[in-house]
Amino acid sequence: MNPPQYPASSVTPTQGNLFRHGRSMSNEGAGTTFKHREGLQAPFRDGREGRSLSNAANVTFGPRGSSLAQGPPPGSFSSDLKTIAPSRGGTPRTEQGPFFADYRPASSDATSEQRQTELREKINKETKIKIGSENLLEALVSKNAKQTKDQRMRVEAELGSSNRKIIELRSQLEREVEHSRRPKTPPLERLSGIFQSSPLKSPQRRDGDVQGGVLAAEESESPTYLLSEILRALEHEGMQPDFYVEKANRLVDLFKKYPSLKHDLAWHVFGLRVQTMLLSESRDVVAAGYRVTRHAIADRRSLQTIRRLNTDEIVMLSLVKDSKANIEREQALKFVRAFLDVKGGIHELSSPVLRTIVSVAEHHEDRLRNMSILTLLELLIRNPAMVIVSGGMASITETLLDGNYQGSESLASTLLFLFDKPHDRRYLQSSHELDAAFTIFTDPIAVHTTEEKLKSSARLITAVLNSWPGLFTVANDGFAALRGLLQSLSYPSLLARDLVLDILFAVLQIKAPSWSSSFLAGRRLTTYGRVANLTTGAAAEPSTPALEENEEGRVSLTEHYRAVLLAVLLQSGLHQALTTIIQDESESALQRKAALLQGEVLELTNRLLPQTFSAKFQVVPKLVDPVGFLPADSSLTPISMTYQIDSVSRTLQRSQGDVKHVYLSMKRSTPQHTAAPRSIDSTRPKVDVDMDELRFRAAIVETQVLNHVKHFKWNWDLIEDLVEGPLKNPKRLNEAITGTKFLKRLLSFYRPFKYRFSDIPSTKLNQRYVRVGVSLMKTLLQNNEGIAELSESKFLRQLGECLAQLDRTSGLTATAPLFSTWRTAETLTGGYFSLLGALSSNPKGLQMIERWHMVNIFYHIIELQDRDDLIELLLGNMDFTLDSHPRVILSQAATASHKHIRIFSTNLLRKYATLDPSFEENSVSPKSVCEWAIGMLVTQLYDPEVEVSEVAVQILEESCNRKSHLEYVVRCRPQLDHLNEIGAPLLLRFLSTSLGYQYLDRLDYIMQEMDDWFSLRNYRYVTLVEASLTRAFATLMEEPSRSSINDSLRPQDNGSLPPHFYRELTRTQEGCGLLRDSGHFDDFVMTITDLWSEDMDLDGLVKLKGCLWAVGNIGSMELGATFLEESDVVRLIVKIAEHSQVTTLRGTAFFVLGLISRSLHGMEIVSEHGWDAATDQRGRSIGYCLPQRLDVFFSLQFPQNPKKHGIRNVPHDWAPRPVTDEDPVHERVLSLVMDTGNAVTAKKAATDLNGLKMRHPEAFGSVELYRKVRDVLGVHNFRLPVRRFLLDLFEKNVMRRFVLDEEESENESIQTERPSEKPPRIP
């Protein structure tokens, strides 16, 4: 089978971009430019659109490598304020697209990231198609071959197409990633084309010598001189807008290149230039002025200087403008957001500006709404009082209730931040702000809303339930919010019920098994016996005991949190709600989904909760009780669903197996063509190993090997049974060799030059051919007849010849090599390495490999620079238990190859470094294998790449779970000083044995580390744990699908307790003695005693949490539990967990009590204080404890009347105050302005204001009246259209006079006649 021919692709960047976007040059307007440069593009002039080739002279092209992709729509701009040119027809285009420019800069890096994201999305899509095709192909195999032949061929063709697309997309992604990591070439002169779109300018030269001369001239000048030249150029009046835009862009570039220049600005000159730009009539010039001012901000003093230029009034006017001024409005909002990046800059925000942002956030149709909400959320964290006084809290709550905001998680996290501490909770009007997220599900009318709103609210609820503040908030009023959510499962909305079930799956961290989709479709669970057995078989490999630890496993904080959340849900009526769905026969899919969740909940209840809790919730109400009393004509749904729940539970138990085995399967990296463990179908009868001759002959005939040449007509299940059973009997094997052609035909099927096995597509179903081949090799190597047959077969000779095609020194070449990149990825050709790996596990097999000189070829394959796929296949399938050439090859790859292969090779050592001492294969001592692997890992610690050393540290840390392995690692005396923090976890593991303690003591490591932890790292540990929990509880973890091998190195540590120095120290008697002598434990207890009621000081809370974690880690060890008995610290921790007003502090105490319960003495102490610990089948604590009374634990005080507490940290002029005027006309205007803030009187007030302007136009030219109207707008909340209407009432020159502080002249001519233009109207 030849590889498919792909269309040739051009390597020209321009062509690549052109074809990728599907656009041709003929469709581009004459005025379109293709430049990715920074800065504002000059405004376009009116002109006719040129579309013929005669206008080609007007088309300008950007620098080499620029993209031909269509830019953002009009009104959008990059982070460099790049205007997008409209067509020359003069007709404005519809404004659309995203409003953020700060978050998606138009740079090459952002473009590369977008392309990588698109490629990853395409890879995920093709992967799903591939999985679906494989599943369909597997289903078709069980049917009649003749009837499904055509369908099977179409599915195989689709599968091959998906595989080819995946390979092509992955190669494109790798090239894109590699390209993004290359150093960028310096950009060309950006200012040379600033006026290229202007018809007033002639085309500029782009010769390299001219550009080089300009760059050299600018580089030679001092930045101060360049600054003065630009400011002098800005003094010119009457120039075109593009002139000022160009100078502003150059000024920004200067600030970016010389950041210190902004500290030496002469603001009496610079401020005047900025003020002039901000008062310009051109929107582009105003936007450039905002951008220049934003980049000139250096500190709070510069902000104060900028505000003295009356920029607040200009920002107000810009933000209320209509959508035509979007570029100006966005830059104005960016300018305001720059205040947040300066220390103390938040206090320079004025009330008028902030209330204007609130009005933008309240306007649903505004493009800046999301950005304004984000600004309010940041302000709410930094200074809640400012947002509360300016009315921003109502806007945030409305957004929460609306459900249309895409960043619902940021909304939730901000409110949860306020719920955490009592000092911040006083800013909330009530304790039910977050209940708005549940309303859309709990309201029977609101539940019939759009799918987007329901999904947004579902993400929000998930984020709330995955945090301590959120859980304490919903627990208010007896878990009323949770009860309402569970009761919504009885509402008739199918989508809402399905989303509520998804929420429960997410918050309980239940991952749907592989067979769940088919089960939900109505298929029987017995069909998936092979899937369950496959997982169990994979977990039951000989190397699985390597993970068993001497003491306890990794401490999972997320599991402990899941236990308390499960208890809360059960107490809120989870079982009753699921039973309601199960009894509903209208939706079978939803019914089965509820049954699946019910089975998972029962399993979690039995595993995570203490017996006092689990005993109450193991019986499903209203489903099991009535079964025995059903009348004859009643529905059988309870019986059917009870059976389904039982089937789910049994299937989950089979598929999960031992938790430790599942943990191992997550850690191991399996190459693509490694033979998967055999899946045993429990419904198929087993083949007797000691069958007689007649039955054996009948079985051989039944395999159809002797009757048919085509392999797809053979009974491969029976072949596999024979290979793994009767053929291991020497007598039966001899009979198969001499009496029939069964074995010869089977070996002939695997011969490379037959192109039968090697041409089979690489699919999940076809991996059985690889599996049978591996079993055949192992079976033949077990007796002399098999070895002789294998030696005389052409299989190994042909395989060696094909491998020699990869060796440049062999002299053998081929136009279509068997092991080409395409064939190894698309077909089962890579499976030959699995067969070679089976041979390498036996000394006789190694002799056969050496006989055909394959070992020399292996050495040359390792040296190939462009075939990482072959190197991974070779190393990933070889067996390294024997002290032979494969070990030397692995050592060479681990030390002399490039970084990716060194990481892969190091990762392969995990299997051997964690071997069980009781495991023995091929008469090889497991101790010697472990010592060899550990020795190689110690060598990898000194690799020049930190990533390789980090992998070695992780594997050694895991290997140290066994005392014998740990002692050998210590005897190797690794030096980890060069790794700093990376090697710290491994050194901590050394403390768990006396030998390691003595070794570290001689290095003077223990005392230095103890002092470091006591003074600093104990408090950094708090940040480390909370960051780990935050990542684990993230509701939307959109991790890119990287091909890095790091993802398979070890299970995800998010949510697991990091190593702690005092925990490892108390594992030995020597460490406990040192801890007692140091007095650190007493200091921790004293700190907890003094600060247990702390709820305001952030440093005090961090110190208290650090001491709690230290005490918990000490108490989790049996030797360390004696320290708890000598003090009364557990009582204080329980007191914190039940009475502290800081929710995260309660959560820390909750986790610490779980740590203490891991030891026997600690479990007894915790039980004495009213907390029950969960235990396993042998009565040992698993580290999860719960309070006997959940209502006491979740009791939290909320302010009854928050307004009485007052709001501080805001200036006095922010509060509403009356604004009056002695002039009756002005007084009437101010009164009507106040009326426009009322929705009832707004329309009449607007009409009266228009009438006043018609009768008294001079009043709306008064700076004094404008100032007072501005004061009213600054202390009261008005809708955005009302603000725009009120400011548009005044003459245009009023703002300029107000900003420049110009006094009104008596001789100033005032237009007394009625204005000709139509008066403004309020929307």
Side-chain angles (χ1 to χ4, degrees):
M1 181 184 295
N2 295 325
Q5 299 297 327
Y6 301 107
S9 58
S10 172
V11 296
T12 308
T14 303
Q15 293 179 356
N17 287 323
L18 186 62
F19 287 111
R20 179 168 60 251
H21 296 281
R23 302 174 59 203
S24 63
M25 291 294 296
S26 60
N27 293 330
E28 297 295 335
T32 307
T33 58
F34 308 107
K35 291 180 67 65
H36 283 283
R37 66 173 182 269
E38 179 177 316
L40 268 174
Q41 189 174 349
F44 276 67
R45 303 285 179 260
D46 293 334
R48 299 177 60 185
E49 182 178 2
R51 294 188 179 273
S52 64
L53 293 177
S54 60
N55 294 323
N58 294 330
V59 181
T60 55
F61 296 88
R64 179 171 58 87
S66 60
S67 173
L68 294 178
Q70 184 178 0
S76 301
F77 58 96
S78 67
S79 59
D80 305 313
L81 204 58
K82 174 179 169 184
T83 305
I84 306 303
S87 63
R88 289 185 177 269
T91 303
R93 300 178 182 176
T94 304
E95 294 173 354
Q96 56 185 356
F99 61 90
F100 290 107
D102 277 340
Y103 299 103
R104 295 196 297 176
S107 62
S108 59
D109 293 338
T111 306
S112 178
E113 292 178 0
Q114 293 174 2
R115 288 195 293 267
Q116 293 178 31
T117 303
E118 293 175 358
L119 290 173
R120 291 190 178 102
E121 291 177 353
K122 293 180 181 179
I123 291 174
N124 293 335
K125 180 180 178 181
E126 293 297 332
T127 303
K128 293 178 180 179
I129 296 176
K130 175 183 176 182
I131 294 174
S133 301
E134 290 176 349
N135 293 336
L136 180 57
L137 192 61
E138 182 178 359
L140 292 176
V141 169
S142 61
K143 298 181 179 181
N144 193 328
K146 294 183 179 180
Q147 297 177 356
T148 60
K149 179 180 179 180
D150 296 338
Q151 188 176 4
R152 189 169 64 250
M153 292 178 63
R154 289 196 299 268
V155 174
E156 289 179 351
E158 181 67 26
L159 185 60
S161 175
S162 298
N163 288 329
R164 288 191 295 272
K165 289 181 181 179
I166 291 174
I167 294 174
E168 183 180 2
L169 290 171
R170 285 177 177 172
S171 62
Q172 292 180 11
L173 179 60
E174 291 176 358
R175 289 195 299 268
E176 187 64 40
V177 172
E178 182 180 359
H179 178 72
S180 63
R181 293 175 179 174
R182 293 176 183 173
K184 305 296 186 299
T185 55
L188 297 176
E189 170 60 31
R190 291 169 292 186
L191 302 178
S192 60
I194 193 69
F195 301 119
Q196 58 180 299
S197 59
S198 175
L200 302 178
K201 298 290 181 178
S202 60
Q204 299 183 0
R205 296 181 58 188
R206 294 187 176 274
D207 298 334
D209 54 348
V210 176
Q211 291 184 3
V214 174
L215 288 172
E218 289 199 356
E219 291 290 340
S220 61
E221 298 292 347
S222 66
T224 307
Y225 174 78
L226 293 175
L227 176 63
S228 60
E229 286 294 318
I230 295 174
L231 294 179
R232 188 177 299 110
L234 289 175
E235 293 180 2
H236 299 293
E237 297 182 359
M239 304 296 293
Q240 295 294 331
D242 52 6
F243 173 81
Y244 300 106
V245 170
E246 178 204 5
K247 299 304 178 184
N249 287 335
R250 292 186 60 187
L251 200 56
V252 171
D253 293 339
L254 199 62
F255 287 145
K256 288 182 177 180
K257 190 172 183 180
Y258 304 101
S260 60
L261 196 61
K262 64 182 68 174
H263 296 276
D264 302 325
L265 286 175
W267 278 97
H268 64 282
V269 178
F270 181 80
L272 182 61
R273 306 293 178 269
V274 169
Q275 209 174 41
T276 304
M277 293 182 68
L278 294 179
L279 292 173
S280 173
E281 295 183 359
S282 171
R283 300 189 183 101
D284 292 332
V285 175
V286 177
Y290 281 124
R291 184 166 178 256
V292 169
T293 311
R294 172 162 56 92
H295 284 85
I297 297 175
D299 49 23
R300 187 175 179 180
R301 289 186 58 188
S302 62
L303 283 178
Q304 295 171 348
T305 304
I306 291 172
R307 287 194 61 199
R308 283 195 290 270
L309 300 175
N310 292 323
T311 54
D312 290 349
E313 284 68 26
I314 305 177
V315 169
M316 282 180 55
L317 183 63
S318 296
L319 288 177
V320 302
K321 289 184 178 180
D322 55 17
S323 58
K324 296 179 181 179
N326 273 332
I327 189 171
E328 176 185 342
R329 299 177 70 236
E330 291 177 16
Q331 283 300 314
L333 188 54
K334 285 183 179 181
F335 169 69
V336 176
R337 288 179 58 83
F339 283 47
L340 307 180
D341 300 330
V342 179
K343 183 178 181 180
I346 190 174
H347 301 291
E348 297 300 325
L349 286 174
S350 63
S351 177
V353 172
L354 190 53
R355 290 182 186 271
T356 305
I357 295 177
V358 171
S359 66
V360 176
E362 293 174 347
H363 196 57
H364 293 271
E365 293 79 14
D366 199 286
R367 290 178 64 242
L368 295 182
R369 179 174 183 257
N370 290 346
M371 196 173 182
S372 301
I373 292 173
L374 183 63
T375 305
L376 293 178
L377 293 178
E378 295 181 19
L379 286 171
L380 192 61
I381 294 177
R382 304 275 292 275
N383 194 331
M386 295 176 62
V387 180
I388 300 298
V389 172
S390 61
M393 197 64 199
S395 175
I396 294 174
T397 306
E398 181 184 358
T399 306
L400 189 68
L401 183 61
D402 182 57
N404 286 327
Y405 184 61
Q406 296 299 323
S408 55
E409 293 81 3
S410 60
L411 268 175
S413 60
T414 304
L415 293 177
L416 293 175
F417 175 81
L418 296 182
F419 274 112
D420 185 24
K421 303 180 185 65
H423 174 71
D424 296 329
R425 282 199 293 271
R426 64 191 179 94
Y427 292 112
L428 302 174
Q429 298 300 318
S430 67
S431 60
H432 302 283
E433 276 79 4
L434 289 175
D435 290 353
F438 294 82
T439 303
I440 197 170
F441 288 100
T442 57
D443 189 350
I445 299 178
V447 76
H448 298 283
T449 183
T450 61
E451 181 178 357
E452 291 74 14
K453 287 186 178 182
L454 287 173
K455 289 184 177 180
S456 178
S457 297
R459 292 194 300 267
L460 182 60
I461 293 173
T462 306
V464 169
L465 294 179
N466 277 338
S467 67
W468 283 115
L471 190 57
F472 276 95
T473 302
V474 300
N476 192 24
D477 295 339
F479 304 100
L482 276 181
R483 294 182 187 275
L485 181 66
L486 295 176
Q487 289 174 3
S488 66
L489 290 172
S490 60
Y491 294 164
S493 176
L494 178 61
L495 177 61
R497 297 164 75 186
D498 187 65
L499 286 176
V500 172
L501 290 180
D502 290 339
I503 292 173
L504 296 175
F505 273 102
V507 298
L508 293 177
Q509 304 171 32
I510 298 175
K511 295 183 179 180
S514 58
W515 42 264
S516 61
S517 58
S518 299
F519 168 71
L520 297 178
R523 297 175 64 184
R524 295 177 57 189
L525 279 175
T526 53
T527 309
Y528 309 100
R530 284 181 289 181
V531 178
N533 289 324
L534 172 61
T535 308
T536 307
E541 289 180 304
S543 60
T544 53
L547 194 64
E548 296 178 1
E549 300 182 357
N550 294 333
E551 298 183 7
E552 70 290 330
R554 184 178 296 273
V555 181
S556 176
L557 300 180
T558 53
E559 287 288 289
H560 196 186
Y561 184 87
R562 179 158 67 154
V564 68
L565 181 57
L566 177 62
V568 169
L569 289 172
L570 290 174
Q571 191 163 325
S572 300
L574 177 60
H575 275 326
Q576 292 83 348
L578 294 178
T579 303
T580 302
I581 299 182
I582 292 174
Q583 291 177 337
D584 184 8
E585 301 180 8
S586 59
E587 292 294 337
S588 59
L590 200 65
Q591 193 180 39
R592 282 176 165 262
K593 190 172 185 178
L596 177 62
L597 180 58
Q598 188 79 280
E600 293 274 8
V601 168
L602 291 174
E603 190 273 333
L604 289 176
T605 303
N606 182 55
R607 181 167 62 89
L608 297 180
L609 300 185
Q611 293 183 358
T612 55
F613 282 88
S614 61
K616 296 184 293 185
F617 299 109
Q618 284 296 331
V619 177
V620 182
K622 297 183 181 180
L623 189 62
V624 178
D625 297 341
V627 169
F629 305 99
L630 285 175
D633 56 346
S634 63
S635 174
L636 296 179
T637 299
I639 297 178
S640 175
M641 286 298 103
T642 303
Y643 170 74
Q644 294 289 354
I645 294 172
D646 181 63
S647 299
V648 168
S649 300
R650 286 187 282 107
T651 307
L652 288 173
Q653 186 176 5
R654 288 198 307 269
S655 62
Q656 290 175 355
D658 192 352
V659 176
K660 295 178 180 179
H661 296 328
V662 175
Y663 178 76
L664 175 68
S665 63
M666 295 169 58
K667 301 167 71 110
R668 302 189 58 186
S669 168
T670 305
Q672 179 181 359
H673 291 284
T674 299
R678 179 188 178 187
S679 60
I680 303 174
D681 189 354
S682 58
T683 63
R684 196 177 72 225
K686 304 297 186 295
V687 178
D688 188 8
V689 178
D690 298 326
M691 64 170 51
D692 55 21
E693 182 179 352
L694 294 178
R695 292 172 56 195
F696 179 67
R697 286 180 176 273
I700 288 180
V701 173
E702 190 178 349
T703 60
Q704 303 297 323
V705 175
L706 303 178
N707 301 332
H708 298 282
V709 178
K710 297 182 178 180
H711 67 278
F712 55 82
K713 293 186 177 182
W714 295 354
N715 188 345
W716 283 97
D717 291 333
L718 183 56
I719 294 174
E720 188 173 7
D721 290 337
L722 290 176
V723 170
E724 295 184 352
L727 287 181
K728 291 184 178 180
N729 188 336
K731 187 176 181 180
R732 299 281 86 83
L733 179 61
N734 184 41
E735 184 179 347
I737 295 174
T738 59
T740 65
K741 294 184 179 180
F742 172 77
L743 206 57
K744 289 185 178 180
R745 289 197 176 182
L746 199 56
L747 284 174
S748 176
F749 166 74
Y750 289 99
R751 281 162 54 182
F753 291 160
K754 290 288 186 179
Y755 291 102
R756 300 169 68 188
F757 171 78
S758 58
D759 278 358
I760 299 177
S762 177
T763 63
K764 181 180 179 181
L765 178 63
N766 291 339
Q767 290 299 318
R768 60 179 177 176
Y769 302 121
V770 182
R771 186 169 59 250
V772 172
V774 171
S775 300
L776 181 61
M777 297 296 111
K778 293 181 178 180
T779 299
L780 293 177
L781 290 174
Q782 290 184 4
N783 53 70
N784 295 328
E785 290 83 357
I787 294 174
E789 179 67 20
L790 190 58
S791 300
E792 296 172 1
S793 174
K794 297 180 182 179
F795 166 69
L796 289 178
R797 180 175 61 82
Q798 293 182 6
L799 185 57
E801 184 177 345
C802 293
L803 287 172
Q805 298 171 1
L806 302 171
D807 187 1
R808 297 184 178 91
T809 63
S810 65
L812 295 178
T813 58
T815 56
L818 182 70
F819 291 97
S820 64
T821 304
W822 179 85
R823 294 188 66 92
T824 54
E826 293 294 321
T827 67
L828 293 182
T829 303
Y832 281 118
F833 288 98
S834 298
L835 275 62
L836 291 173
L839 294 175
S840 66
S841 62
N842 189 285
K844 296 293 184 181
L846 281 174
Q847 291 178 7
M848 296 181 192
I849 293 176
E850 294 175 0
R851 175 188 175 188
W852 298 106
H853 308 288
M854 295 186 197
V855 173
N856 296 335
I857 300 174
F858 292 164
Y859 281 106
H860 293 152
I861 290 177
I862 295 299
E863 297 173 355
L864 295 177
Q865 299 296 325
D866 56 345
R867 292 304 304 272
D868 288 354
D869 57 332
L870 276 182
I871 298 176
E872 291 183 3
L873 283 172
L874 174 62
L875 298 178
N877 288 282
M878 286 292 109
D879 189 284
F880 304 102
T881 54
L882 299 176
D883 188 6
S884 56
H885 284 285
R887 288 190 179 182
V888 181
I889 294 173
L890 180 63
S891 177
Q892 179 180 343
T895 54
S897 299
H898 55 83
K899 183 177 72 172
H900 174 72
I901 297 300
R902 296 206 306 274
I903 293 176
F904 183 85
S905 304
T906 307
N907 182 45
L908 292 175
L909 294 171
R910 172 178 279 110
K911 172 183 176 182
Y912 305 95
T914 57
L915 270 180
D916 184 8
S918 61
F919 169 70
E920 186 171 349
E921 184 179 5
N922 295 329
S923 302
V924 178
S925 171
K927 180 179 179 181
S928 62
V929 177
C930 292
E931 291 179 353
W932 162 77
I934 291 174
M936 279 199 63
L937 288 171
V938 172
T939 303
Q940 295 302 96
L941 294 175
Y942 310 109
D943 192 277
E945 294 289 343
V946 178
E947 292 87 345
V948 180
S949 302
E950 185 175 4
V951 174
V953 168
Q954 293 172 0
I955 301 175
L956 286 174
E957 182 185 355
E958 182 182 333
S959 178
C960 290
N961 289 333
R962 296 191 178 278
K963 186 177 180 180
S964 58
H965 297 173
L966 174 59
E967 292 178 349
Y968 183 77
V969 174
V970 174
R971 286 196 294 269
C972 291
R973 298 179 178 274
Q975 300 294 327
L976 302 176
D977 296 341
H978 63 290
L979 297 179
N980 299 326
E981 294 294 330
I982 296 177
L986 183 58
L987 291 176
L988 289 181
R989 297 305 300 268
F990 289 1
L991 291 174
S992 60
T993 62
S994 298
L995 181 64
Y997 181 90
Q998 296 171 6
Y999 169 67
L1000 295 177
D1001 190 31
R1002 288 193 296 269
L1003 296 177
D1004 198 22
Y1005 167 82
I1006 298 178
M1007 292 303 301
Q1008 295 180 6
E1009 194 74 3
M1010 177 177 266
D1011 295 339
D1012 190 17
W1013 273 83
F1014 183 75
S1015 60
L1016 183 62
R1017 294 180 63 179
N1018 198 36
Y1019 310 118
R1020 290 182 179 175
Y1021 187 83
V1022 177
T1023 306
L1024 184 63
V1025 173
E1026 293 183 352
S1028 175
L1029 284 172
T1030 302
R1031 290 192 297 266
F1033 287 149
T1035 57
L1036 294 177
M1037 298 192 62
E1038 298 179 358
E1039 296 182 355
S1041 55
R1042 302 183 299 269
S1043 59
S1044 174
I1045 196 64
N1046 292 334
D1047 294 340
S1048 60
L1049 291 176
R1050 60 187 302 169
Q1052 183 58 260
D1053 288 337
N1054 290 337
S1056 298
L1057 192 67
H1060 198 284
F1061 173 79
Y1062 290 101
R1063 175 185 173 88
E1064 303 299 329
L1065 187 66
T1066 51
R1067 289 181 183 269
T1068 59
Q1069 293 288 352
E1070 296 89 343
C1072 290
L1074 178 62
L1075 178 61
R1076 193 178 302 276
D1077 296 339
S1078 65
H1080 287 181
F1081 185 83
D1082 296 333
D1083 291 337
F1084 295 147
V1085 175
M1086 186 65 66
T1087 302
I1088 295 174
T1089 305
D1090 295 339
L1091 301 177
W1092 78 269
S1093 59
E1094 181 62 52
D1095 58 6
M1096 289 187 60
D1097 183 34
L1098 182 60
D1099 294 335
L1101 286 174
V1102 172
K1103 186 176 182 180
L1104 177 58
K1105 291 179 181 179
C1107 294
L1108 287 174
W1109 283 118
V1111 171
N1113 278 280
I1114 293 173
S1116 64
M1117 297 288 101
E1118 290 294 343
L1119 296 177
T1122 57
F1123 289 90
L1124 302 177
E1125 297 177 347
E1126 299 171 359
S1127 63
D1128 198 22
V1129 67
V1130 176
R1131 181 186 62 82
L1132 288 174
I1133 298 175
V1134 171
K1135 192 173 183 180
I1136 293 174
E1138 295 180 351
H1139 300 288
S1140 176
Q1141 293 303 308
V1142 182
T1143 60
T1144 53
L1145 184 59
R1146 280 197 183 189
T1148 302
F1150 174 81
F1151 289 135
V1152 168
L1153 290 174
L1155 278 176
I1156 293 175
S1157 69
R1158 297 181 70 86
S1159 62
L1160 180 60
H1161 296 297
M1163 184 170 59
E1164 294 175 354
I1165 297 174
V1166 166
S1167 63
E1168 293 175 358
H1169 291 83
W1171 287 60
D1172 295 331
T1175 57
D1176 57 11
Q1177 293 82 354
R1178 289 178 283 184
R1180 298 181 306 179
S1181 173
I1182 59 176
Y1184 309 143
C1185 67
L1186 297 177
Q1188 295 176 358
R1189 293 190 57 185
L1190 287 176
D1191 55 342
V1192 175
F1193 175 69
F1194 283 106
S1195 61
L1196 193 66
Q1197 296 180 2
F1198 288 91
Q1200 299 298 325
N1201 192 354
K1203 295 183 179 180
K1204 291 184 178 180
H1205 295 274
I1207 297 179
R1208 306 171 184 174
N1209 300 329
V1210 292
H1212 295 290
D1213 57 353
W1214 281 49
R1217 61 186 183 277
V1219 180
T1220 59
D1221 197 295
E1222 297 180 356
D1223 190 320
V1225 176
H1226 291 185
E1227 181 66 24
R1228 176 59 178 164
V1229 170
L1230 294 175
S1231 176
L1232 291 175
V1233 167
M1234 291 296 299
D1235 290 342
T1236 57
N1238 190 331
V1240 178
T1241 60
K1243 189 172 182 179
K1244 184 178 183 303
T1247 305
D1248 294 344
L1249 283 172
N1250 282 325
L1252 277 177
K1253 183 175 182 180
M1254 299 291 289
R1255 295 191 301 271
H1256 304 282
E1258 70 282 355
F1260 294 92
S1262 169
V1263 175
E1264 183 64 26
L1265 180 60
Y1266 177 84
R1267 179 180 290 107
K1268 293 187 177 181
V1269 171
R1270 175 258 188 195
D1271 293 340
V1272 173
L1273 295 178
V1275 295
H1276 295 280
N1277 289 90
F1278 294 86
R1279 293 186 299 116
L1280 184 64
V1282 174
R1283 288 180 176 270
R1284 184 184 304 126
F1285 164 77
L1286 294 176
L1287 293 179
D1288 287 344
L1289 288 172
F1290 290 89
E1291 301 293 339
K1292 293 183 179 180
N1293 63 346
V1294 174
M1295 168 63 73
R1296 182 181 186 88
R1297 287 154 44 203
F1298 178 78
V1299 171
L1300 298 179
D1301 293 330
E1302 295 179 357
E1303 297 293 336
E1304 297 189 41
S1305 175
E1306 296 182 358
N1307 299 326
E1308 184 177 2
S1309 60
I1310 302 296
Q1311 184 180 1
T1312 59
E1313 65 271 10
R1314 295 184 179 182
S1316 59
E1317 68 272 14
K1318 187 177 181 180
R1321 296 179 61 187
I1322 184 171

